[in-house]
Amino acid sequence: MTVITRFAPSPTGRLHVGNIRTALHNWMLAHKAGGRFLLRIDDTDAERSREEYVDAIRADLAWLGLEADAEERQSQRFAHYEAAFARLVEAGRIYRCYETAQELELRRKVLLGRGLPPIYDRAALQLTEADHAAKAAEGIAPHWRFKLDHGDPITWDDGIRGAQHFDPAQLSDPVIRRADGSWLYMLPSAIDDVEMGVTDVLRGEDHVSNTAVQLQMFTALGAQPPRFAHEALLVGSEGKLSKRLGALGADSFRERGIEPETLVALLARLGTSQPVEPIVDRAALVAGFDLSTFGRAPARFDDTELDRLNAAIVHHLPFARVQGQLPEGMDEAGWDAVRPNLAHLGEAADWWRIVTGPVAQPAFDAETRAFLAQAVDVLDGGLAWGDDPWHALTNALKEATGRKGKALFLPLRQALTGMDHGPDMGALLPLIGEVQARTRLEQAAAG
Ligand code: GLU
Protein backbone atom coordinates (compact mmCIF):
# COMPACT_ATOMS: atom_id res chain seq x y z
CA MET A 1 0.00 0.00 0.00
CA THR A 2 1.42 3.41 -0.97
CA VAL A 3 2.24 5.55 2.02
CA ILE A 4 0.26 8.79 1.93
CA THR A 5 0.96 11.52 4.46
CA ARG A 6 -0.48 14.98 4.75
CA PHE A 7 0.41 18.35 6.16
CA ALA A 8 -2.75 20.17 7.17
CA PRO A 9 -2.13 23.79 8.15
CA SER A 10 -4.91 26.27 8.82
CA PRO A 11 -4.24 29.38 6.73
CA THR A 12 -4.72 31.74 9.65
CA GLY A 13 -1.08 32.85 9.80
CA ARG A 14 2.41 32.16 8.50
CA LEU A 15 4.00 28.76 9.05
CA HIS A 16 6.08 28.83 12.21
CA VAL A 17 8.97 26.62 13.10
CA GLY A 18 6.72 23.97 14.71
CA ASN A 19 4.56 23.70 11.58
CA ILE A 20 7.64 23.55 9.38
CA ARG A 21 8.91 20.64 11.43
CA THR A 22 5.61 18.76 11.06
CA ALA A 23 5.57 19.43 7.31
CA LEU A 24 9.16 18.26 6.95
CA HIS A 25 8.62 15.05 8.89
CA ASN A 26 5.52 14.17 6.87
CA TRP A 27 7.42 14.92 3.66
CA MET A 28 10.30 12.71 4.80
CA LEU A 29 8.03 9.91 5.93
CA ALA A 30 6.37 9.85 2.51
CA HIS A 31 9.62 10.18 0.57
CA LYS A 32 11.39 7.48 2.50
CA ALA A 33 8.59 5.06 1.60
CA GLY A 34 8.37 6.27 -2.02
CA GLY A 35 4.88 7.51 -1.17
CA ARG A 36 2.90 10.70 -1.55
CA PHE A 37 2.83 13.89 0.50
CA LEU A 38 -0.37 15.94 0.44
CA LEU A 39 -0.87 19.55 1.37
CA ARG A 40 -4.32 19.97 2.86
CA ILE A 41 -5.41 23.51 3.51
CA ASP A 42 -7.69 23.41 6.58
CA ASP A 43 -9.74 26.46 5.68
CA THR A 44 -13.20 25.60 7.00
CA ASP A 45 -13.02 28.70 9.20
CA ALA A 46 -13.91 31.28 6.56
CA GLU A 47 -13.57 34.17 8.98
CA ARG A 48 -10.00 33.49 10.08
CA SER A 49 -8.64 31.91 6.88
CA ARG A 50 -6.88 34.23 4.42
CA GLU A 51 -5.85 33.65 0.85
CA GLU A 52 -2.58 35.51 1.43
CA TYR A 53 -1.64 32.90 4.04
CA VAL A 54 -2.45 30.08 1.63
CA ASP A 55 -0.02 31.69 -0.83
CA ALA A 56 2.56 32.19 1.91
CA ILE A 57 2.28 28.54 2.98
CA ARG A 58 2.88 27.38 -0.59
CA ALA A 59 5.79 29.79 -0.98
CA ASP A 60 7.37 28.70 2.30
CA LEU A 61 7.06 25.02 1.41
CA ALA A 62 8.59 25.72 -2.00
CA TRP A 63 11.46 27.63 -0.37
CA LEU A 64 12.07 24.65 1.90
CA GLY A 65 11.88 22.22 -1.01
CA LEU A 66 8.84 20.49 0.50
CA GLU A 67 6.53 20.59 -2.47
CA ALA A 68 3.37 18.55 -2.15
CA ASP A 69 2.36 15.88 -4.64
CA ALA A 70 -1.20 17.21 -4.49
CA GLU A 71 -3.10 19.98 -2.78
CA GLU A 72 -6.56 19.76 -1.24
CA ARG A 73 -8.73 22.43 0.28
CA GLN A 74 -11.34 21.78 2.89
CA SER A 75 -13.44 24.74 1.74
CA GLN A 76 -13.99 22.88 -1.55
CA ARG A 77 -15.13 19.72 0.17
CA PHE A 78 -18.24 20.78 2.07
CA ALA A 79 -20.44 18.45 0.01
CA HIS A 80 -18.35 15.49 1.23
CA TYR A 81 -18.76 16.59 4.84
CA GLU A 82 -22.52 17.02 4.43
CA ALA A 83 -22.85 13.50 3.05
CA ALA A 84 -20.84 11.89 5.84
CA PHE A 85 -22.60 14.04 8.41
CA ALA A 86 -26.02 12.90 7.16
CA ARG A 87 -24.95 9.26 7.42
CA LEU A 88 -23.65 9.71 10.97
CA VAL A 89 -26.82 11.57 12.06
CA GLU A 90 -28.84 8.74 10.56
CA ALA A 91 -26.71 6.21 12.48
CA GLY A 92 -27.32 8.10 15.73
CA ARG A 93 -23.64 9.10 16.11
CA ILE A 94 -24.29 12.84 15.89
CA TYR A 95 -26.83 14.69 18.03
CA ARG A 96 -28.28 18.17 18.47
CA CYS A 97 -27.44 20.42 21.41
CA TYR A 98 -28.48 23.91 22.49
CA GLU A 99 -26.39 24.81 25.51
CA THR A 100 -24.83 28.23 25.35
CA ALA A 101 -21.14 28.75 26.01
CA GLN A 102 -22.03 30.33 29.39
CA GLU A 103 -24.16 27.38 30.43
CA LEU A 104 -21.41 24.94 29.52
CA GLU A 105 -18.85 26.99 31.38
CA LEU A 106 -21.04 27.04 34.48
CA ARG A 107 -21.48 23.25 34.38
CA ARG A 108 -17.74 22.84 33.96
CA LYS A 109 -17.10 24.95 37.02
CA VAL A 110 -19.62 23.01 39.09
CA LEU A 111 -18.00 19.69 38.14
CA LEU A 112 -14.49 20.97 38.78
CA GLY A 113 -15.69 22.38 42.11
CA ARG A 114 -16.83 18.90 43.10
CA GLY A 115 -13.49 17.49 42.06
CA LEU A 116 -15.01 15.77 39.01
CA PRO A 117 -13.61 15.80 35.46
CA PRO A 118 -15.40 18.47 33.38
CA ILE A 119 -17.00 16.06 30.92
CA TYR A 120 -20.08 17.08 28.95
CA ASP A 121 -23.09 15.46 30.67
CA ARG A 122 -24.98 14.61 27.46
CA ALA A 123 -28.06 16.43 28.75
CA ALA A 124 -29.09 17.14 25.16
CA LEU A 125 -29.56 13.42 24.54
CA GLN A 126 -32.64 13.60 26.80
CA LEU A 127 -34.42 16.11 24.55
CA THR A 128 -37.55 14.87 22.80
CA GLU A 129 -38.66 15.68 19.26
CA ALA A 130 -41.14 18.12 20.80
CA ASP A 131 -38.28 19.90 22.59
CA HIS A 132 -36.38 20.21 19.29
CA ALA A 133 -39.50 21.50 17.55
CA ALA A 134 -39.96 24.10 20.30
CA LYS A 135 -36.35 25.31 19.82
CA ALA A 136 -36.90 25.50 16.07
CA ALA A 137 -40.09 27.47 16.63
CA GLU A 138 -38.09 29.94 18.72
CA GLY A 139 -35.64 30.25 15.84
CA ILE A 140 -32.85 28.52 17.78
CA ALA A 141 -30.65 26.25 15.65
CA PRO A 142 -28.72 23.38 17.27
CA HIS A 143 -25.02 22.77 17.30
CA TRP A 144 -23.90 19.18 16.88
CA ARG A 145 -21.86 16.71 18.90
CA PHE A 146 -20.31 13.41 17.96
CA LYS A 147 -21.50 10.68 20.31
CA LEU A 148 -18.58 8.68 21.58
CA ASP A 149 -19.05 4.96 22.03
CA HIS A 150 -18.47 4.30 25.72
CA GLY A 151 -18.01 0.58 25.13
CA ASP A 152 -14.43 -0.49 24.58
CA PRO A 153 -11.37 1.51 25.56
CA ILE A 154 -9.74 3.40 22.70
CA THR A 155 -6.26 2.07 22.01
CA TRP A 156 -3.62 2.45 19.35
CA ASP A 157 0.04 1.76 18.87
CA ASP A 158 1.53 5.21 18.40
CA GLY A 159 4.55 5.37 16.08
CA ILE A 160 6.42 7.47 18.62
CA ARG A 161 4.63 7.14 21.95
CA GLY A 162 3.96 3.43 21.85
CA ALA A 163 0.78 1.86 23.26
CA GLN A 164 -1.94 4.45 23.96
CA HIS A 165 -5.07 3.92 25.96
CA PHE A 166 -8.10 6.18 26.52
CA ASP A 167 -11.34 5.57 28.35
CA PRO A 168 -13.99 7.14 26.08
CA ALA A 169 -16.23 7.83 29.08
CA GLN A 170 -13.59 10.23 30.31
CA LEU A 171 -13.86 12.32 27.15
CA SER A 172 -16.54 14.85 26.24
CA ASP A 173 -18.53 14.22 23.08
CA PRO A 174 -16.87 16.78 20.82
CA VAL A 175 -18.81 19.57 19.14
CA ILE A 176 -18.24 18.99 15.45
CA ARG A 177 -20.50 21.61 13.89
CA ARG A 178 -21.66 25.02 15.02
CA ALA A 179 -25.23 26.32 14.98
CA ASP A 180 -24.45 28.41 11.89
CA GLY A 181 -23.57 25.19 10.02
CA SER A 182 -19.81 25.80 10.04
CA TRP A 183 -17.44 22.90 10.77
CA LEU A 184 -15.00 22.41 13.57
CA TYR A 185 -11.71 20.73 12.75
CA MET A 186 -12.33 17.22 14.09
CA LEU A 187 -14.80 15.50 11.73
CA PRO A 188 -13.79 17.03 8.36
CA SER A 189 -10.22 16.01 9.07
CA ALA A 190 -11.22 12.39 9.68
CA ILE A 191 -13.42 12.36 6.57
CA ASP A 192 -10.54 13.76 4.50
CA ASP A 193 -8.07 11.25 5.86
CA VAL A 194 -10.44 8.46 4.84
CA GLU A 195 -11.31 9.82 1.39
CA MET A 196 -7.74 10.86 0.55
CA GLY A 197 -6.39 7.47 1.54
CA VAL A 198 -4.05 8.89 4.17
CA THR A 199 -2.08 6.00 5.64
CA ASP A 200 -0.01 7.87 8.23
CA VAL A 201 -0.92 10.82 10.41
CA LEU A 202 2.15 12.38 11.99
CA ARG A 203 1.48 15.45 14.09
CA GLY A 204 2.21 17.16 17.39
CA GLU A 205 1.37 15.55 20.72
CA ASP A 206 -1.15 18.33 21.37
CA HIS A 207 -3.38 16.19 19.12
CA VAL A 208 -3.19 12.96 21.14
CA SER A 209 -6.66 13.27 22.68
CA ASN A 210 -8.05 14.34 19.28
CA THR A 211 -6.72 11.07 17.92
CA ALA A 212 -8.67 9.12 20.53
CA VAL A 213 -11.86 10.82 19.35
CA GLN A 214 -10.99 10.62 15.67
CA LEU A 215 -10.31 6.88 15.91
CA GLN A 216 -13.97 6.44 16.82
CA MET A 217 -14.92 8.68 13.91
CA PHE A 218 -12.97 6.46 11.49
CA THR A 219 -14.82 3.44 12.81
CA ALA A 220 -18.17 5.25 12.61
CA LEU A 221 -17.35 6.16 8.99
CA GLY A 222 -16.76 2.47 8.31
CA ALA A 223 -13.06 3.04 7.57
CA GLN A 224 -9.77 1.56 8.64
CA PRO A 225 -7.93 4.27 10.62
CA PRO A 226 -4.47 5.40 9.50
CA ARG A 227 -1.36 4.81 11.60
CA PHE A 228 -0.80 7.61 14.09
CA ALA A 229 2.37 9.09 15.52
CA HIS A 230 2.62 12.14 17.76
CA GLU A 231 5.85 13.97 18.18
CA ALA A 232 6.94 15.82 21.30
CA LEU A 233 6.49 19.54 21.00
CA LEU A 234 9.19 22.00 20.16
CA VAL A 235 10.30 24.30 22.95
CA GLY A 236 12.59 27.31 23.06
CA SER A 237 16.11 27.08 24.44
CA GLU A 238 14.77 28.26 27.79
CA GLY A 239 12.78 25.03 27.88
CA LYS A 240 9.33 26.54 27.63
CA LEU A 241 6.83 26.72 24.84
CA SER A 242 7.67 30.27 24.00
CA LYS A 243 5.52 32.81 22.22
CA ARG A 244 8.56 33.82 20.24
CA LEU A 245 8.91 30.33 18.81
CA GLY A 246 5.32 30.40 17.62
CA ALA A 247 5.99 33.69 15.89
CA LEU A 248 9.16 32.54 14.11
CA GLY A 249 8.02 32.19 10.52
CA ALA A 250 9.92 30.96 7.50
CA ASP A 251 10.08 34.60 6.36
CA SER A 252 11.92 35.62 9.52
CA PHE A 253 14.51 32.88 8.97
CA ARG A 254 14.93 33.88 5.35
CA GLU A 255 15.43 37.52 6.30
CA ARG A 256 17.99 36.50 8.89
CA GLY A 257 20.03 34.73 6.23
CA ILE A 258 19.19 31.21 7.35
CA GLU A 259 19.27 28.80 4.41
CA PRO A 260 16.38 26.38 3.89
CA GLU A 261 18.91 23.53 4.04
CA THR A 262 19.81 24.66 7.57
CA LEU A 263 16.25 24.53 8.84
CA VAL A 264 15.76 21.17 7.19
CA ALA A 265 18.96 19.68 8.59
CA LEU A 266 18.15 20.94 12.09
CA LEU A 267 14.46 20.10 12.20
CA ALA A 268 14.97 16.68 10.61
CA ARG A 269 16.95 15.50 13.62
CA LEU A 270 16.02 17.77 16.52
CA GLY A 271 14.35 15.70 19.23
CA THR A 272 15.64 12.43 17.79
CA SER A 273 18.56 10.31 18.94
CA GLN A 274 20.40 11.15 15.72
CA PRO A 275 22.96 13.97 15.83
CA VAL A 276 22.21 17.29 14.13
CA GLU A 277 24.77 17.59 11.34
CA PRO A 278 25.29 19.98 8.40
CA ILE A 279 23.77 17.62 5.87
CA VAL A 280 22.90 19.31 2.59
CA ASP A 281 22.05 16.09 0.78
CA ARG A 282 18.32 15.69 1.29
CA ALA A 283 18.36 12.06 0.19
CA ALA A 284 20.81 11.23 2.99
CA LEU A 285 18.49 12.83 5.56
CA VAL A 286 15.50 10.98 4.15
CA ALA A 287 17.34 7.65 4.19
CA GLY A 288 18.02 8.06 7.92
CA PHE A 289 14.51 9.19 8.84
CA ASP A 290 13.09 6.81 11.43
CA LEU A 291 10.23 7.43 13.86
CA SER A 292 11.77 5.01 16.34
CA THR A 293 14.60 7.52 16.92
CA PHE A 294 12.13 10.19 18.06
CA GLY A 295 12.25 10.94 21.77
CA ARG A 296 9.38 11.65 24.14
CA ALA A 297 11.01 14.72 25.68
CA PRO A 298 10.32 18.13 24.16
CA ALA A 299 12.73 19.06 21.37
CA ARG A 300 14.73 22.19 22.15
CA PHE A 301 15.05 24.75 19.42
CA ASP A 302 18.11 26.87 19.96
CA ASP A 303 18.90 29.94 17.86
CA THR A 304 22.62 29.71 18.54
CA GLU A 305 22.63 26.16 17.27
CA LEU A 306 20.74 27.30 14.19
CA ASP A 307 23.32 30.01 13.44
CA ARG A 308 26.22 27.63 13.94
CA LEU A 309 24.61 25.04 11.72
CA ASN A 310 23.87 27.68 9.09
CA ALA A 311 27.55 28.56 8.81
CA ALA A 312 28.46 24.89 8.43
CA ILE A 313 25.73 24.41 5.84
CA VAL A 314 26.86 27.46 3.85
CA HIS A 315 30.39 25.99 3.79
CA HIS A 316 28.92 22.88 2.17
CA LEU A 317 26.70 24.54 -0.44
CA PRO A 318 27.84 23.81 -3.99
CA PHE A 319 28.29 26.64 -6.50
CA ALA A 320 25.37 25.47 -8.62
CA ARG A 321 23.02 25.93 -5.67
CA VAL A 322 24.13 29.47 -4.75
CA GLN A 323 25.00 30.80 -8.21
CA GLY A 324 21.94 33.00 -8.56
CA GLN A 325 22.47 34.61 -5.15
CA LEU A 326 26.11 35.62 -5.54
CA PRO A 327 27.42 39.07 -6.40
CA GLU A 328 27.87 39.97 -10.06
CA GLY A 329 30.95 38.37 -11.55
CA MET A 330 31.65 35.96 -8.72
CA ASP A 331 32.51 32.59 -10.26
CA GLU A 332 33.03 29.12 -8.83
CA ALA A 333 36.64 29.86 -7.83
CA GLY A 334 35.38 32.98 -6.02
CA TRP A 335 32.73 30.99 -4.21
CA ASP A 336 35.21 28.30 -3.21
CA ALA A 337 37.59 30.98 -1.91
CA VAL A 338 35.12 32.80 0.31
CA ARG A 339 32.63 30.18 1.47
CA PRO A 340 34.72 28.88 4.40
CA ASN A 341 34.54 32.40 5.85
CA LEU A 342 30.79 32.89 5.63
CA ALA A 343 28.21 32.65 8.40
CA HIS A 344 25.59 33.77 5.89
CA LEU A 345 25.43 33.64 2.12
CA GLY A 346 24.89 37.41 2.03
CA GLU A 347 28.41 37.99 3.32
CA ALA A 348 29.82 36.67 0.05
CA ALA A 349 29.27 40.17 -1.33
CA ASP A 350 31.47 41.71 1.38
CA TRP A 351 34.37 39.41 0.56
CA TRP A 352 33.83 39.83 -3.15
CA ARG A 353 34.31 43.59 -2.78
CA ILE A 354 37.79 42.77 -1.57
CA VAL A 355 38.49 41.02 -4.84
CA THR A 356 37.01 43.73 -7.03
CA GLY A 357 38.31 46.63 -4.90
CA PRO A 358 38.97 49.33 -4.09
CA VAL A 359 40.26 48.30 -0.67
CA ALA A 360 40.91 50.61 2.28
CA GLN A 361 44.45 49.96 3.39
CA PRO A 362 45.67 50.86 6.87
CA ALA A 363 48.49 53.39 7.33
CA PHE A 364 51.76 51.41 7.32
CA ASP A 365 54.97 52.47 9.08
CA ALA A 366 58.16 53.15 7.09
CA GLU A 367 59.66 49.73 7.67
CA THR A 368 56.51 47.96 6.49
CA ARG A 369 56.30 50.25 3.45
CA ALA A 370 59.84 49.26 2.56
CA PHE A 371 58.89 45.61 2.87
CA LEU A 372 55.86 46.13 0.63
CA ALA A 373 58.09 47.91 -1.90
CA GLN A 374 60.19 44.75 -1.95
CA ALA A 375 57.04 42.83 -2.75
CA VAL A 376 56.56 45.08 -5.79
CA ASP A 377 60.19 44.42 -6.73
CA VAL A 378 59.56 40.68 -6.55
CA LEU A 379 56.67 41.09 -8.98
CA ASP A 380 58.75 43.31 -11.24
CA GLY A 381 61.60 40.82 -11.08
CA GLY A 382 59.51 38.42 -13.12
CA LEU A 383 57.82 36.31 -10.46
CA ALA A 384 56.08 33.39 -12.15
CA TRP A 385 52.47 34.20 -11.17
CA GLY A 386 51.15 30.76 -12.15
CA ASP A 387 48.41 28.87 -10.28
CA ASP A 388 49.68 29.63 -6.82
CA PRO A 389 51.03 33.18 -6.80
CA TRP A 390 50.61 33.55 -3.03
CA HIS A 391 53.16 30.85 -2.27
CA ALA A 392 55.46 32.07 -5.03
CA LEU A 393 55.32 35.62 -3.68
CA THR A 394 55.69 34.80 -0.01
CA ASN A 395 58.49 32.29 -0.62
CA ALA A 396 60.44 34.82 -2.66
CA LEU A 397 59.90 37.51 0.00
CA LYS A 398 60.89 35.18 2.81
CA GLU A 399 64.13 34.50 1.03
CA ALA A 400 64.78 38.16 0.25
CA THR A 401 63.86 39.60 3.67
CA GLY A 402 64.20 36.81 6.20
CA ARG A 403 60.69 37.65 7.43
CA LYS A 404 58.40 34.82 8.38
CA GLY A 405 55.03 34.12 10.00
CA LYS A 406 52.89 37.12 10.86
CA ALA A 407 55.60 39.66 9.92
CA LEU A 408 55.64 38.18 6.44
CA PHE A 409 51.95 37.49 5.86
CA LEU A 410 50.00 40.19 7.71
CA PRO A 411 51.29 43.32 5.90
CA LEU A 412 50.70 41.58 2.57
CA ARG A 413 47.17 40.62 3.53
CA GLN A 414 46.48 44.14 4.78
CA ALA A 415 47.88 45.74 1.66
CA LEU A 416 46.10 43.36 -0.69
CA THR A 417 42.73 43.17 1.05
CA GLY A 418 42.55 46.07 3.49
CA MET A 419 41.73 43.53 6.23
CA ASP A 420 43.77 41.65 8.76
CA HIS A 421 41.77 38.46 8.46
CA GLY A 422 39.68 36.78 5.80
CA PRO A 423 39.65 33.96 3.30
CA ASP A 424 42.76 31.99 2.48
CA MET A 425 45.11 34.29 0.58
CA GLY A 426 46.17 31.37 -1.58
CA ALA A 427 42.64 31.29 -2.99
CA LEU A 428 42.10 35.07 -2.98
CA LEU A 429 45.23 36.28 -4.73
CA PRO A 430 44.55 34.57 -8.09
CA LEU A 431 41.10 36.19 -8.01
CA ILE A 432 42.52 39.64 -7.25
CA GLY A 433 44.87 39.10 -10.20
CA GLU A 434 48.37 40.26 -10.93
CA VAL A 435 47.57 43.76 -12.16
CA GLN A 436 45.34 44.67 -9.22
CA ALA A 437 47.75 43.10 -6.75
CA ARG A 438 50.65 45.16 -8.06
CA THR A 439 48.58 48.37 -7.90
CA ARG A 440 47.55 47.68 -4.30
CA LEU A 441 51.08 46.84 -3.21
CA GLU A 442 52.43 49.96 -4.92
CA GLN A 443 49.82 52.14 -3.20
CA ALA A 444 50.64 50.62 0.17
CA ALA A 445 54.40 51.03 -0.35
CA ALA A 446 53.90 54.67 -1.36
CA GLY A 447 51.84 55.28 1.80
N1 GLU B 1 -5.33 22.00 10.89
C1 GLU B 1 -4.95 21.19 12.00
C2 GLU B 1 -3.87 21.90 12.79
O1 GLU B 1 -3.20 22.75 12.23
C3 GLU B 1 -4.46 19.87 11.50
C4 GLU B 1 -4.12 18.89 12.53
C5 GLU B 1 -3.89 17.52 11.91
O2 GLU B 1 -2.75 17.29 11.47
O3 GLU B 1 -4.80 16.73 11.84
O4 GLU B 1 -3.73 21.69 13.97
Side-chain angles (χ1 to χ4, degrees):
M1 191 166 61
T2 311
V3 165
I4 300 179
T5 67
R6 87 293 195 280
F7 171 53
S10 305
T12 55
R14 298 287 304 225
L15 296 185
H16 59 69
V17 58
N19 306 135
I20 293 173
R21 176 169 171 251
T22 306
L24 171 65
H25 291 166
N26 277 286
W27 186 93
M28 292 174 88
L29 185 61
H31 277 250
K32 172 140 189 204
R36 287 162 57 75
F37 168 67
L38 309 180
L39 170 61
R40 190 185 81 201
I41 303 291
D42 280 6
D43 58 350
T44 56
D45 186 341
E47 212 144 280
R48 292 176 59 230
S49 298
R50 298 258 163 74
E51 206 50 36
E52 67 192 83
Y53 292 131
V54 177
D55 292 337
I57 288 167
R58 287 192 199 114
D60 288 344
L61 291 179
W63 179 69
L64 290 156
L66 303 178
E67 267 105 350
D69 296 302
E71 184 181 309
E72 300 279 357
R73 289 187 75 141
Q74 291 199 320
S75 58
Q76 283 163 14
R77 296 183 38 82
F78 289 135
H80 297 253
Y81 309 150
E82 287 296 350
F85 176 81
R87 275 196 288 133
L88 293 176
V89 170
E90 183 67 23
R93 292 304 298 273
I94 292 178
Y95 61 97
R96 291 164 287 181
C97 303
Y98 301 91
E99 292 92 346
T100 63
Q102 292 88 324
E103 280 166 349
L104 291 171
E105 186 50 31
L106 194 66
R107 284 192 212 170
R108 262 174 58 84
K109 284 203 176 123
V110 169
L111 288 170
L112 286 170
R114 288 195 206 134
L116 296 169
I119 301 165
Y120 176 63
D121 61 9
R122 294 185 158 177
L125 279 178
Q126 307 308 317
L127 299 174
T128 62
E129 278 313 312
D131 296 326
H132 289 298
K135 290 286 185 191
E138 283 178 68
I140 300 173
H143 59 268
W144 305 79
R145 286 186 192 260
F146 178 77
K147 189 174 166 215
L148 290 168
D149 176 356
H150 285 183
D152 293 330
I154 304 169
T155 61
W156 76 94
D157 186 17
D158 193 281
I160 294 171
R161 299 164 61 86
Q164 301 292 300
H165 184 281
F166 276 82
D167 175 359
Q170 295 301 309
L171 299 169
S172 289
D173 290 340
V175 177
I176 49 125
R177 199 171 188 183
R178 300 185 189 89
D180 65 3
S182 64
W183 298 96
L184 283 109
Y185 149 76
M186 211 76 98
L187 183 62
S189 179
I191 295 168
D192 287 346
D193 287 338
V194 172
E195 295 186 4
M196 294 169 195
V198 170
T199 58
D200 294 82
V201 173
L202 170 56
R203 54 188 179 184
E205 66 181 11
D206 49 332
H207 282 289
V208 169
S209 60
N210 288 344
T211 295
V213 168
Q214 285 177 324
L215 279 170
Q216 284 212 354
M217 291 180 174
F218 285 106
T219 309
L221 291 165
Q224 186 68 30
R227 288 179 287 263
F228 280 93
H230 296 85
E231 45 189 33
L233 297 182
L234 206 57
V235 296
S237 43
E238 65 284 6
K240 284 187 305 223
L241 267 173
S242 74
K243 270 223 177 78
R244 216 188 116 265
L245 213 54
L248 275 183
D251 49 337
S252 72
F253 291 114
R254 198 161 31 209
E255 278 155 28
R256 226 172 95 187
I258 300 293
E259 299 304 318
E261 288 89 347
T262 309
L263 272 176
V264 166
L266 180 67
L267 296 175
R269 298 242 176 122
L270 205 64
T272 76
S273 57
Q274 301 188 66
V276 171
E277 292 165 335
I279 300 174
V280 170
D281 177 8
R282 186 74 60 98
L285 283 175
V286 168
F289 183 78
D290 182 355
L291 287 183
S292 74
T293 67
F294 280 62
R296 294 284 303 270
R300 271 171 195 258
F301 181 84
D302 181 347
D303 269 322
T304 332
E305 188 179 11
L306 186 71
D307 287 328
R308 225 180 6 242
L309 187 66
N310 195 61
I313 287 278
V314 168
H315 303 166
H316 282 87
L317 291 177
F319 179 66
R321 152 70 175 81
V322 297
Q323 203 166 5
Q325 291 162 270
L326 296 181
E328 178 83 38
M330 188 166 178
D331 59 4
E332 185 157 8
W335 170 243
D336 288 339
V338 306
R339 66 174 171 175
N341 285 72
L342 307 180
H344 300 115
L345 197 47
E347 293 164 5
D350 302 333
W351 292 118
W352 194 240
R353 264 194 290 280
I354 281 170
V355 170
T356 56
V359 297
Q361 295 159 332
F364 294 105
D365 60 23
E367 195 190 334
T368 311
R369 287 205 303 275
F371 166 64
L372 293 167
Q374 275 179 289
V376 178
D377 289 343
V378 166
L379 291 182
D380 288 342
L383 176 87
W385 186 261
D387 288 341
D388 194 0
W390 177 247
H391 283 105
L393 176 67
T394 51
N395 282 340
L397 277 168
K398 190 173 172 183
E399 202 125 298
T401 64
R403 286 191 182 226
K404 52 184 203 266
K406 199 173 158 189
L408 173 66
F409 300 122
L410 186 60
L412 290 171
R413 178 183 279 283
Q414 290 172 326
L416 289 164
T417 70
M419 311 267 298
D420 40 23
H421 68 280
D424 176 26
M425 286 302 299
L428 269 190
L429 193 53
L431 299 168
I432 293 171
E434 190 171 359
V435 176
Q436 283 253 40
R438 180 193 307 270
T439 310
R440 291 181 195 178
L441 290 170
E442 276 169 359
Q443 272 170 1

